[in-house]
Amino acid sequence: MKTPSQPPAIYYIVGLQIWEYFSFYGMRALLILYLTHQLRFDDGHAISLFSAYASLVYVTPIFGGWLADRFLGNRMAVISGALMMTLGHIVLGCAPDSLSGLYLALAIIICGYGLFKSNISCLLGELYTPDDRRRDGGFSLMYAAGNLGSVISPIACGLVAQRYGWHPGFTLAGIGMALGLLIFLTGQRHFRHTAGINKTGLRAINVVFPCWIWLTLALLSAPFFFVALLKYHLTGYLLLLVSLGAALLIVKMMLSAPEHRRELWQIVALMAVGMLFWVLAQQGGSSISLFIDRFVNRRWLGIEIPTALFQSVNAIAIIVAGALLGWLMRSSSPRSNGPAVWIKFIFGLLLMGCGFMLLAYNARNVGASGQASMGMMIAGLSIMGVSELFIDPIAMARITRLDIQGVTGVLTGIYMLATGALANWLAGVVATRAMAPQPNQTAISGYQHFFSRMGLWSLALVAIVAVIIAARYCFRRGNPKAQRREQAEKVNASGAAS
């Protein structure tokens, strides 16, 4: 049977997605190095700012999604977000080396990311009817395109920054975003059936003025709000408020659907463990990148490899391992029960711990030249990249299987908040405190101690999850009522699968 082709509009979304990932991950690969080399930030200050920026780009999509649903529509939100991100990257590339220019550029990118990130997925969803079998293939294509952009960007931007300077590297990221937007705009005729701007809503009077005036003021003032958060280290307070709101939403779900309370508690646990996993994984863009820059022998065939290029290792490992896992598991059952989910989480955490232990061993065995092995560094980063395949996809699959009307999207957003925004901010807190200089400790031994501690935390988390699974299993073995409930769940799951 011939597989139905995808709607033409998807290829313009894919083109935009490739270049959005190119711009975002290209700039991200340079940022921590720019802060420490060019602006002379100390490690603690650089990691704190990097983590605050990385966390805020996961908070703003909550507000961007609301604006798209109520006023802009997904297509206009995506265009507006891409324009703002292009502007932010160009400001970062063209502005002089000043804190004001840096904060403003990052704030504009944060706002643009908020309008873009969640709404491009929603726009893709508008291309299909609810029963269209092409939907899953379309989302897989968009995901693969993003990974392609994240592989290429650190290489391209890193090489340009090494040869021509930091600002040309940032500018290249902005040019990539502009190119993606241009590709998307050339295909607007294919998006005529998607939701447009809500003109009635924008014209409606709300507190004296029409909503479009309030929206314009909000978009113009939002960058300065985020400048203040970055400058005065207030990101944690915003995250606290948003997290309290998310917690109240989950409590409301449990009260309104008591029959699903057990499943919701499992998802809360997955969010908590996933957040701790990403606290470890997000060290790749900050503390690990600084270690590579200072202590890894990056010479290969007489050429010095730019530090930013190592950010591609993670994406390459995910693409290769993801394809291999997809091939190996192509005939396995799609159903995933509680224990299976946690076993996969354990495996992901175990791989993360092994990756950090390998980095610690590499730091310990620095030779007389004071440089660590590049091959061992790549191996450690690859293991850590593969570990991601056993966390987010598993958790997202479990969330989307929850049969409660109208909560899947909210829970997905809360999961992104926990594993994106909170994890990035906590990663900065952990790195700045755990890497604080100790008496009689050299810089290289400080990194060795930090990596060892991260590895031990990963393995301790493995042990905690394993103990909880074992206790749960023993409880069910000794509880006939729990056994009957589990059997009923298996029967229901089998019926749903068939």
Side-chain angles (χ1 to χ4, degrees), residues 413-426:
I414 295 174
Y415 181 82
M416 295 289 290
L417 172 69
T419 59
L422 288 175
N424 271 288
W425 185 76
L426 290 173

Side-chain angles (χ1 to χ4, degrees), residues 98 129 177 219 222 254 276 293 306 320 359 390 408 423 467 473 481:
S98 67
T129 59
M177 188 69 252
L219 292 177
M254 290 185 175
L276 294 175
D293 187 59
V320 174
L359 298 191
F390 297 92
T408 302
V467 167
Y473 175 76
K481 183 178 178 180

Side-chain angles (χ1 to χ4, degrees), residues 90-111:
I90 297 301
V91 169
L92 190 57
C94 298
D97 296 319
S98 67
L99 289 181
S100 299
L102 172 68
Y103 290 142
L104 181 60
L106 295 181
I108 295 172
I109 295 171
I110 288 167
C111 294

Side-chain angles (χ1 to χ4, degrees), residues 223-416:
F224 299 100
F225 171 74
F226 288 108
V227 165
L229 291 182
L230 294 172
K231 183 176 181 180
Y232 298 108
H233 311 287
L234 300 174
T235 303
Y237 296 103
L238 176 64
L239 291 176
L240 178 60
L241 291 174
V242 176
S243 300
L244 288 174
L248 290 175
L249 283 174
I250 293 178
V251 170
K252 183 179 178 181
M253 292 176 198
M254 290 185 175
L255 293 175
S256 61
E259 68 278 12
H260 292 286
R261 195 169 294 170
R262 180 169 166 270
E263 295 169 278
L264 287 168
W265 273 118
Q266 185 191 46
I267 289 172
V268 169
L270 289 173
M271 290 180 181
V273 177
M275 180 183 69
L276 294 175
F277 171 88
W278 281 103
V279 169
L280 300 166
Q282 292 297 352
Q283 299 300 326
S286 54
S287 58
I288 293 176
S289 186
L290 292 175
F291 173 75
I292 294 171
D293 187 59
R294 294 166 182 172
F295 296 108
V296 172
N297 180 9
R298 294 180 282 113
R299 295 202 67 82
W300 181 65
L301 299 178
I303 302 172
E304 185 175 44
I305 308 298
T307 302
L309 268 66
F310 287 82
Q311 296 294 312
S312 294
V313 173
N314 185 280
I316 293 171
I318 290 173
I319 292 173
V320 174
L324 180 60
L325 284 173
W327 179 76
L328 291 174
M329 300 173 65
R330 65 193 186 281
S331 60
S332 62
S333 170
R335 184 177 64 84
S336 181
N337 57 24
V341 168
W342 287 113
I343 289 170
K344 291 171 184 175
F345 258 56
I346 285 176
F347 193 66
L349 290 166
L350 189 61
L351 286 175
M352 179 60 68
C354 291
F356 268 112
M357 287 302 186
L358 190 57
L359 298 191
Y361 180 79
N362 196 21
R364 180 182 178 184
N365 288 276
V366 169
S369 62
Q371 293 184 310
S373 164
M374 181 168 62
M376 195 174 296
M377 195 74 224
I378 292 173
L381 291 175
S382 299
I383 293 172
M384 295 165 75
V386 173
S387 69
E388 296 179 20
L389 294 169
F390 297 92
I391 304 296
D392 272 5
I394 308 305
M396 295 302 294
R398 186 68 187 87
I399 290 172
T400 55
R401 284 181 63 240
L402 190 61
D403 187 21
I404 308 178
Q405 184 66 30
V407 304
T408 302
V410 176
L411 284 174
T412 301
I414 295 174
Y415 181 82
M416 295 289 290

